[in-house]
Amino acid sequence: NLRRALTYITAIHVPIAGLALFPILFGMPPLLYPMHVVLLELAIDPICALVFESERSERTAMRKPPRPRSEPLFGRHDLVKALVQGAGVLAGVFGLYAFLLQDNSETIARGGAFIALVLANLVLALVDAMSGDGSLLAPHRRLFWSIAAALVLLLAVVFSVPEFAAIFRMQAPSPAIIALSVAVAAISGAWSRVADSARTAIQRKGISRSGAAPAPHQSST
């Protein structure tokens, strides 16, 4: 669980840093201000402290060999995975922000992109925390859904109260933009899990085929 938590916290800070810097480098209006980062950290900290700790180990954990003493807890493979995951969220949200700026005001574009970043953060946390056992609505994942519901409610308050919207320099986007933000969040946050599952399925299929291959040869002799 600690390794997965370190992967998540490294991954999510890649888009936070990139989205604070890239719009400035490309001559766009800033996307993230300090208040946006604070709101994100209000979700990141309890997710790391509560969600990852409550996640159960895999059923096959005791069948796996122990980690070699020379292998670091958070090694190069974990770092690369975190950077790739974070880069996916960064690309998705930054691309959405640039797209929305073409036909919408700065405040609407920032609102749509920030919704995508907040939801991508939740998707990424769930992807990295899940051990692969149980359903999304398993009892031990109630903490995650409680944090997710609280964060979505907080976003709704920010957009619906003019004083808060002015502080965050955002405006409530249209339903079409919200739907696009949700889609970007789901894709950019979960694509690595889908790719890992596909690669595992291909490997298992290859192993099963190689295991069945020797049978005809043995029967012919």
Side-chain angles (χ1 to χ4, degrees):
N1 288 355
L2 179 57
R3 173 177 284 186
R4 293 200 294 265
L6 291 173
T7 300
Y8 159 71
I9 201 168
T10 302
I12 191 54
H13 282 91
V14 171
I16 292 176
L19 293 172
L21 180 62
F22 281 9
I24 307 300
L25 294 179
F26 286 91
M28 301 176 180
L31 172 54
L32 295 182
Y33 288 94
M35 52 277 196
H36 300 107
V37 178
V38 169
L39 193 150
L40 286 168
E41 293 295 337
L42 288 176
I44 293 172
D45 290 345
I47 285 174
C48 290
L50 301 174
V51 174
F52 283 87
E53 287 298 322
S54 65
E55 190 68 26
R56 300 174 182 175
S57 300
E58 298 178 359
R59 296 178 182 177
T60 60
M62 297 303 294
R63 301 177 186 174
K64 298 180 180 179
R67 176 174 58 88
R69 297 179 60 181
S70 59
E71 180 183 340
L73 180 61
F74 188 74
R76 182 182 303 176
H77 173 77
D78 302 297
L79 178 60
V80 170
K81 178 181 178 180
L83 293 178
V84 170
Q85 286 183 334
V89 175
L90 172 58
V93 177
F94 182 69
L96 175 65
Y97 185 54
F99 173 76
L100 293 178
L101 280 173
Q102 295 178 4
D103 299 314
N104 300 276
S105 66
E106 172 188 335
T107 53
I108 291 179
R110 183 178 295 114
F114 190 65
I115 290 174
L117 178 58
V118 170
L119 297 182
N121 170 41
L122 294 173
V123 173
L124 185 62
L126 185 60
V127 164
D128 283 342
M130 286 182 63
S131 62
D133 296 335
S135 66
L136 292 175
L137 301 178
H140 66 278
R141 295 194 177 115
R142 290 175 182 170
L143 274 173
F144 169 81
W145 293 113
S146 297
I147 293 173
L151 192 57
V152 171
L153 179 61
L154 184 57
L155 268 181
V157 171
V158 168
F159 283 116
S160 59
V161 178
E163 291 78 9
F164 289 159
I167 292 174
F168 281 85
R169 304 184 185 184
M170 296 189 303
Q171 184 177 346
S174 65
I177 293 178
I178 293 176
L180 180 60
S181 299
V182 172
V184 169
I187 295 172
S188 62
W191 74 269
S192 61
R193 184 62 175 258
V194 175
D196 287 342
S197 300
R199 183 168 60 251
T200 301
I202 292 173
Q203 290 175 348
R204 289 178 178 175
K205 185 177 295 185
I207 292 174
S208 64
R209 287 179 178 178
S210 63
H217 175 72
Q218 293 176 356
S219 62
S220 61
T221 59

